[in-house]
Amino acid sequence: MEAEYLRHGVPLTGYQLSQADHRRQHEAVQVHEWVQRQLAQAPRWSDERWEKMRQLLGPSTSAWELQRWRLRLYCGHVIEATRLRERPRPDGGICDKERCPECGLDPAVIVAFEPLGPVADPSPEKRSRKPSRSTRKPPADRRSRAELVAENEALRAELDALRDQA
């Protein structure tokens, strides 16, 4: 099922910053500065460690899994960016800010956005590669809640019977 993509602050060029936008930008700058201080104190990773991390994270995201967005940043510049297609907003989760390629503001909070379309359409075999959570079969070793409740009650009855014998 395709996500229903949301819009905010359209048209992007006429968007006026709100108090919430100023607050979010201030918080983003504070978090960014804190992270930079922590990274400066951290030991450097070896090439082998970086390679292990790349292997753990797996292959990069395919183009058909990405959605294009037009974003207005806190600095006022309008850019294009990509996000996972499954998300209805480009500013949700951990991607609520960008580095502005025009003025260099980093981080620049996303204050307005509109969807542009998918980066690429999936081929028919890619569409059926990952079934949605609702259509996926549970693993064979997973039991339903009712089965677990029944087993729990049976075990409690057995425990009570053992206590009575003692």
Side-chain angles (χ1 to χ4, degrees):
M1 183 170 117
E2 191 71 25
E4 183 178 329
Y5 299 111
L6 304 175
R7 299 171 183 271
H8 174 71
V10 178
L12 302 182
T13 55
Y15 182 81
Q16 298 294 312
L17 294 174
S18 68
Q19 288 294 340
D21 294 331
H22 292 297
R23 184 179 62 252
R24 286 179 47 236
Q25 178 65 27
H26 178 71
E27 290 170 356
V29 168
Q30 287 181 321
V31 168
H32 181 77
E33 289 171 352
W34 181 85
V35 168
Q36 293 304 314
R37 286 191 303 271
Q38 300 307 309
L39 288 174
Q41 297 172 5
R44 286 260 185 246
W45 277 15
S46 66
D47 290 341
E48 296 86 29
R49 195 165 185 186
W50 279 112
E51 186 55 37
K52 272 187 177 179
M53 184 57 69
R54 282 188 205 95
Q55 289 172 359
L56 284 172
L57 293 175
S60 62
T61 306
S62 302
W64 63 270
E65 296 175 291
L66 299 173
Q67 170 75 9
R68 292 179 348 183
W69 294 87
R70 183 172 292 123
L71 310 174
R72 181 182 172 110
L73 304 177
Y74 179 81
C75 57
H77 293 115
V78 177
I79 65 167
E80 193 174 300
T82 58
R83 297 286 190 268
L84 287 176
R85 237 174 139 164
E86 62 193 28
R87 307 266 182 191
R89 300 173 57 108
D91 61 347
I94 59 172
C95 295
D96 64 342
K97 48 195 149 301
E98 289 279 327
R99 180 186 181 283
C100 180
E102 293 185 38
C103 69
L105 182 62
D106 187 18
V109 171
I110 299 167
V111 296
F113 53 85
E114 64 181 341
L116 296 176
V119 171
D121 285 325
S123 61
E125 72 258 6
K126 298 288 185 188
R127 281 188 200 132
S128 61
R129 191 181 88 176
K130 270 190 182 176
S132 69
R133 286 185 181 183
S134 60
T135 60
R136 252 184 259 161
K137 290 182 182 177
D141 61 342
R142 291 203 57 189
R143 295 179 284 171
S144 71
R145 180 180 172 90
E147 291 171 323
L148 292 170
V149 167
E151 181 183 359
N152 189 12
E153 289 172 357
L155 289 170
R156 286 185 187 278
E158 183 180 340
L159 182 62
D160 289 340
L162 290 171
R163 283 187 183 147
D164 290 342
Q165 288 177 354

